[in-house]
Each structure stands twice: as C-alpha cells, then as structure tokens.
Amino acid sequence: LQSGQVTEALKQFRKNMEVGQKLAAVDLTDVQAQRDLSVSYLKLGDVSLQVGQVTEALRQYQKGLEIREKLAGADPTDAQAQRDLYVAYLKLGDASLQEGQVAEALGHYQKGLEFSQKLATADPMDAQAQTDRVMSYSKMGDIEQQRREFDKAIVWYEKAQKNLLDLREQGRLAPQFQEWIEMMAKGISVCQAAGRSIEDLEFALTQPPQHAADLLIIRATVLAARGQHADAAATAAKLHELAEESELS
C-alpha cells in the first residue's frame, strides 16, 4: 500500500472497529460479534505494523488476543476459536521480533505452537491445521537461528520439512507451500554451516552462493556483538562484494 492508501486503510479499520465495539457491547454473549471485533483489532495491528508503528500494532494484537482467549475458554471444543488464538500469537510474535523483543517473540511463538500442534494432532486430515503447524515450526526455527541456537533451529526446520514432504506425498500440499520445502532445506544447511562460518570467513565464502550471504550476515552480526569490529567490517565488505557479483551475473 502507498502512504495515502495506508492512511485511508487505518481510518477505515478504526471506523470498522468502532462499529464492532458497539455491536459487541450490545450482547457480550454474541460470539460472532466478539470474534468480528477481534478481527478488527488484528487488522488494525497489521496496518500499524506495515507503517512502522510496532508498539501500536502490539497493543492492537493484544486486544484481539484477549477477546480470543475468552472465546476459546468459553468453548474449548471450538476448533476455529483455537486457531484464532494461534493466529493472534503468531502476529504478536512477529511484531515483538520486529521490536527487537526476542524473548517475548519466542514466548508468543511457543504459545502459537501449542495451539497449532493441538489442532494438527486432533485432525491429521485437516491440511490447514497441518500447514499451520509447519508455520509454527518454521517460526521457531527462525527465532532460534536469530538467537544463534543453531542446533535447536535445525530441529525445528527438520520437523517442518518432514511435515511438508508428508503433505506433498499425500497430494495435500497447497501450491503456495511447495517452495517451503526448499526454504526449510536452506535453513538447515545455513544452520549446519553457521558455527564454523562465524570463526572462519574463508569457509563461509566457499559455501553455495544462495547460503553464503546469510552466513556472512550471521558472522558479521555475531562478531560485532563480540566487539570484534574490524572482523565484522571485513565480513560486511565481503557481503557487499557478493551482492555486487550477484547483480552483475
């Protein structure tokens, strides 16, 4: 969305939310009205996040989560209510990560995983539940990679990869998830090479081009955090050279 479109979208979502608040207040037992209000909060959070208002996005996501927790608690057998919780936790995790709150993001992703795992186990034939669980595994892998817990990240990526391959073999993998198999394989390969790449620049540079850039970013970040600024700068220079070579090829 362009700047003007985003501003207009924020106005529309706030207007919809005000209507939803009024409808939900009329009858607190109206499940659909309550769920609609939670959707409005999450959509407003999405647009806030898109324009860089991360704190506001977190506030809106939290409001949506609180409604969804009440709905799920009122009927623990409602699979849609359980999935709604998964979605809210995922969004909170993404926003927390964007805010640099890694520990909080990890906690949200773990909660989301609880619900996606529960739903996928309850109905193995539900392709949506299975791909939701894959998403949770992937998010857990990504955040463990960011925390430099590479062995833990590999475990999560391998879980996601196995689920994806099973779904493909069963003919139930949606087209938009086909490329995820390669993404998980890349995540595994990068994490396997990350530890040595941090200590050995030449090793990082000999890795496949599609992995080398990620490895150089990891190396530069870790070295900078260690206070090895000269080595971090040299790594960043190599990353720049790699990017230029990629543009020319």
Side-chain angles (χ1 to χ4, degrees):
L1 293 176
Q2 300 298 318
S3 178
Q5 292 175 312
V6 170
T7 301
E8 188 59 35
L10 279 169
K11 288 181 182 178
Q12 187 60 50
F13 284 136
R14 288 195 177 103
K15 183 178 179 181
N16 292 343
M17 189 177 64
E18 289 171 3
V19 173
Q21 286 173 326
K22 291 177 182 178
L23 291 173
V26 171
D27 183 0
L28 296 178
T29 64
D30 186 336
V31 173
Q32 188 59 55
Q34 298 297 322
R35 182 176 187 274
D36 289 345
L37 179 57
S38 79
V39 170
S40 293
Y41 280 130
L42 263 61
K43 285 184 176 179
L44 185 54
D46 290 344
V47 179
S48 298
L49 193 63
Q50 186 174 344
V51 297
Q53 299 175 5
V54 186
T55 301
E56 177 64 14
L58 284 166
R59 192 171 72 89
Q60 298 300 337
Y61 289 153
Q62 186 62 43
K63 287 183 178 181
L65 173 65
E66 289 169 3
I67 294 173
R68 293 180 173 202
E69 285 178 329
K70 291 177 182 177
L71 293 175
D75 185 2
T77 65
D78 186 341
Q80 181 61 61
Q82 300 296 312
R83 183 173 189 273
D84 284 347
L85 276 176
Y86 152 78
V87 171
Y89 277 117
L90 210 66
K91 289 179 180 293
L92 275 165
D94 289 347
S96 296
L97 197 58
Q98 190 165 323
E99 188 78 333
Q101 301 171 353
V102 178
E104 289 81 355
L106 177 60
H108 291 315
Y109 288 149
Q110 287 172 330
K111 290 293 293 183
L113 175 62
E114 288 179 22
F115 291 102
S116 63
Q117 187 83 277
K118 177 181 176 182
L119 292 168
T121 302
D123 189 355
M125 297 308 294
D126 184 340
Q128 177 68 71
Q130 301 304 314
T131 49
D132 283 348
R133 180 166 61 180
V134 166
M135 177 68 81
S136 284
Y137 287 158
S138 175
K139 293 289 186 181
M140 289 296 295
D142 290 346
I143 199 164
E144 292 295 7
Q145 183 181 150
Q146 183 161 336
R147 294 173 69 231
R148 308 312 173 209
E149 297 285 353
F150 299 115
D151 289 342
K152 291 180 181 179
I154 289 171
V155 171
W156 291 116
Y157 288 142
E158 286 178 340
K159 285 176 178 286
Q161 185 183 57
K162 182 180 184 305
N163 274 199
L164 289 165
L165 290 172
D166 288 345
L167 287 169
R168 186 174 69 177
E169 185 177 344
Q170 297 161 10
R172 298 193 296 128
L173 185 62
Q176 64 267 32
F177 285 100
Q178 295 288 340
E179 64 182 20
W180 277 50
I181 296 174
E182 184 177 338
M183 288 168 56
M184 295 306 105
K186 178 184 178 183
I188 293 167
S189 296
V190 167
C191 288
Q192 287 172 336
R196 184 174 172 185
S197 294
I198 291 169
E199 307 303 333
D200 186 346
L201 176 57
E202 292 307 314
F203 174 78
L205 293 172
T206 61
Q207 299 307 297
Q210 66 270 31
H211 300 163
D214 289 341
L215 291 168
L216 290 174
I217 291 170
I218 290 170
R219 175 182 160 83
T221 304
V222 171
L223 293 178
R226 288 179 182 174
Q228 297 173 243
H229 300 298
D231 289 337
T235 303
K238 289 293 184 182
L239 181 61
H240 182 68
E241 290 177 13
L242 191 67
E244 288 185 333
E245 291 173 3
S246 178
E247 289 177 2
L248 292 174
S249 61

